[in-house]
Amino acid sequence: MSIQTINPNNNQVVKSFTEMPPEAVEAAMIQAEKAFVLWRKTVYSKRANLLHMVAMIMRERKEELAAMITLEMGKLLDQSRGEIDLSADIFDYYALNGENFLGDKILDPKQGEALIRHSPIGILLGVEPWNFPFYQVARFAAPNIMIGNVVLVKHASNVPQCGIVIEEIFKTAGAPNGIYTNLLISGPRASVLAADDRIKGVSLTGSEAAGSSIAAVAGKNLKKSVLELGGNDAFIVLEDADIDQAVSWAVIGRMNNTGQCCVAAKRFIVIDSIADEFLSKFKAMLIDLKVGDPMDVETELGPLSSEKAAADLADQVQRSVDAGAKVVLGGKRLDRPGAFMAVTILTDLKPGMAAYSEELFGPVASFYRVKNDEEAIMLANDSSFGLGGSVFTKDIERGKRIADQIDTGMVFINHPTWTTPELPFGGTKHSGYGRELSSLGIDEFVNKKLIRVSALTDAF
């Protein structure tokens, strides 16, 4: 398998890497086993110090790391800087709160004493995506290393330098060998590795196909898995919403990371009485986005992550148009070098069309008109995905009632779906299962052991 850095701004190969041979992976596994024996016995303060050090190094090297993200997958440079800040915040969050989250939980049995003690389970395998190459790793690695687990990470093949440098940062921070290991291997080899008895749990962020493959292996081998897969988030705008505010958030929610975000706003569902005004203002703001080199701080829309990603998105749009969808804006690849796609708005979408049911991972917005709240909820739920969503309204209680009826893992009111260390992240349906971040994210790969102390007078 070819593991390469390809600059999506011009589709030029920057650097190539050799995939790890089986014996190197086996050596990494053996080292991880040895590391776990010792790491599980360390005190929380030592684990926290390591995470704080990782965070500090990330912030110190922010410009270098941000440029690496932008080079490998095309994220706007300022957004790459923001990703490094967020990743460092996650490491600090678990360093500050992990011991409290993992503290003994005292129970109140009828007789004697009882408590729940949180214990690490062993070596974990993380399969991570390219769209947020530091953030996705941080939300997997930080809580689990704080628990006392050790991690092997198979990163996406188009961000090899990001994967390599994260391991380097852990070593610089003083992590013993085997606590965090980057594996330069293919996806199929990761699935095989997931079956190894020494791996005690698997976490994957990626496509439905990859998630299904990993989940099948994990289930067959009776081990825990956490999946964060695709999304097709609804962005509902009610007639009483502040339209200008909603439009501004719509542009950010759809175009953040060039639209390559699982929780990006993808389906814009607007009450009919304000639909024309919303669409007109939305289109006007999108037209004004400056397309260019993502390293240029003036650029507002960069390339997609790869030539394949751009070609696949253009194909989804064309298949939708062929089936009767209407193009309000864009609809084609941009006539320039690199993996660029024009900002696009599609309307007149119907079930069976690609843009209706498939995740559009890029700068393409699907626009729908509905008559009332009930139609908005029905349309929002008419998806195999269930990751996030948002509702825009001045009536907060109305927004909460609608949010309660949307079948997703997250719903935001007057804000597109977003992420911070203290908020749990995860979905339902084909968007996966399990949670990352917040106190919930540290509960996935931990043994919640009951310790029961009976009184000497207890009888059977």
Side-chain angles (χ1 to χ4, degrees):
M1 175 187 173
S2 177
I3 299 178
Q4 298 178 320
T5 294
I6 300 176
N7 183 352
N9 185 55
N10 55 25
N11 290 335
Q12 297 299 305
V13 176
V14 177
K15 195 170 184 179
S16 298
F17 298 84
T18 301
E19 187 171 352
M20 292 174 70
E23 55 268 26
V25 175
E26 176 61 20
M29 184 76 80
I30 292 171
Q31 183 62 58
E33 281 189 293
K34 293 177 180 178
F36 176 64
V37 170
L38 298 176
W39 190 247
R40 68 180 304 174
K41 299 176 183 177
T42 58
V43 295
Y44 286 127
S45 59
K46 182 173 181 178
R47 301 173 198 171
N49 287 340
L50 173 62
L51 298 187
H52 278 313
M53 186 62 68
V54 169
M56 185 186 75
I57 295 170
M58 283 188 171
R59 293 190 181 100
E60 289 175 346
R61 298 175 63 178
K62 179 167 70 172
E63 291 303 313
E64 168 203 350
L65 301 177
M68 186 178 294
I69 294 172
T70 299
L71 172 68
E72 291 206 295
M73 55 73 57
K75 192 190 305 287
L76 298 183
L77 185 58
D78 196 50
Q79 292 181 13
S80 295
R81 294 176 178 133
E83 181 180 339
I84 296 302
D85 286 335
L86 175 58
S87 302
D89 287 347
I90 292 170
F91 281 104
D92 276 340
Y93 174 80
Y94 283 108
L96 291 169
N97 296 287
E99 183 172 1
N100 180 55
F101 292 154
L102 296 166
D104 289 348
K105 302 297 186 289
I106 306 302
L107 306 180
D108 186 22
K110 291 181 179 179
Q111 294 177 317
E113 303 173 20
L115 60 86
I116 299 295
R117 177 154 295 164
H118 298 78
S119 305
I121 63 173
I123 304 172
L124 306 178
L125 174 64
V127 182
E128 304 302 330
W130 49 262
N131 57 336
F132 291 91
F134 282 77
Y135 158 72
Q136 300 280 8
V137 169
R139 71 187 200 187
F140 165 67
N144 286 304
I145 289 173
M146 190 65 195
I147 290 167
N149 295 319
V150 302
V151 300
L152 302 175
V153 176
K154 180 269 183 267
H155 218 320
S157 60
N158 61 330
V159 289
Q161 294 187 66
C162 290
I164 291 168
V165 81
I166 295 172
E167 181 181 20
E168 176 194 317
I169 289 170
F170 267 91
K171 290 180 178 178
T172 303
N177 289 336
I179 300 299
Y180 182 102
T181 306
N182 180 65
L183 302 177
L184 277 173
I185 60 174
S186 66
R189 286 181 67 191
S191 293
V192 172
L193 188 62
D196 192 297
D197 287 342
R198 292 169 291 182
I199 299 291
K200 302 305 180 184
V202 185
S203 179
L204 177 143
T205 298
S207 67
E208 286 181 85
S212 177
S213 175
I214 283 287
V217 173
K220 182 178 180 180
N221 290 276
L222 301 177
K223 58 188 67 177
K224 178 72 177 289
S225 62
V226 168
L227 303 179
E228 193 268 281
L229 310 178
N232 202 4
D233 285 15
F235 185 104
I236 298 173
V237 185
L238 305 181
E239 75 282 351
D240 67 341
D242 181 326
I243 295 182
D244 290 334
Q245 179 195 58
V247 169
S248 294
W249 277 123
V251 173
I252 295 171
R254 175 63 279 198
M255 297 302 159
N256 179 46
N257 203 24
T258 318
Q260 300 167 114
C261 181
C262 298
V263 290
K266 299 185 174 87
R267 295 180 294 150
F268 295 86
I269 301 172
V270 186
I271 298 295
D272 191 61
S273 61
I274 60 166
D276 288 338
E277 181 182 0
F278 180 93
L279 182 58
S280 176
K281 291 181 175 181
F282 187 39
K283 178 181 177 181
M285 287 192 71
L286 292 178
I287 288 174
D288 285 343
L289 294 178
K290 181 180 178 181
V291 178
D293 185 342
M295 290 288 189
D296 184 345
V297 294
E298 299 297 321
T299 296
E300 297 173 302
L301 184 73
L304 275 75
S305 63
S306 68
E307 179 62 24
K308 183 180 185 304
D312 288 348
L313 183 61
D315 176 67
Q316 288 176 297
V317 170
Q318 188 58 53
R319 285 189 285 119
S320 300
V321 172
D322 291 344
K326 179 182 176 182
V327 177
V328 174
L329 177 66
K332 302 288 185 180
R333 293 287 303 274
L334 292 176
D335 185 17
R336 58 179 294 151
F340 287 86
M341 176 76 186
V343 174
T344 298
I345 302 176
L346 299 176
T347 63
D348 296 355
L349 296 165
K350 302 289 190 298
M353 294 181 180
Y356 187 93
S357 58
E358 297 176 10
E359 180 179 29
L360 302 177
F361 220 56
V364 179
S366 301
F367 184 81
Y368 300 86
R369 301 168 184 264
V370 293
K371 295 178 181 178
N372 51 43
D373 296 8
E374 289 72 25
E375 284 192 8
I377 293 166
M378 287 180 61
L379 182 54
N381 287 334
D382 190 19
S383 172
S384 62
F385 296 103
L387 194 51
S390 51
V391 182
F392 283 77
T393 176
K394 293 176 182 175
D395 185 341
I396 301 303
E397 292 306 313
R398 181 185 178 193
K400 290 179 180 178
R401 289 193 299 271
I402 292 174
D404 192 48
Q405 298 175 73
I406 297 176
D407 189 13
T408 62
M410 303 167 282
V411 181
F412 282 61
I413 296 173
N414 293 326
H415 198 288
T417 315
W418 217 248
T419 183
T420 59
E422 69 276 8
L423 296 178
F425 192 104
T428 63
K429 301 191 284 189
H430 286 196
S431 290
Y433 48 77
R435 291 295 181 268
E436 293 181 299
L437 300 177
S438 81
S439 61
L440 301 186
I442 209 166
D443 272 347
E444 295 289 352
F445 296 105
V446 64
N447 178 20
K448 300 175 185 179
K449 182 188 295 182
L450 169 65
I451 298 179
R452 172 75 158 88
V453 181
S454 296
L456 295 177
T457 57
D458 283 358
F460 289 102

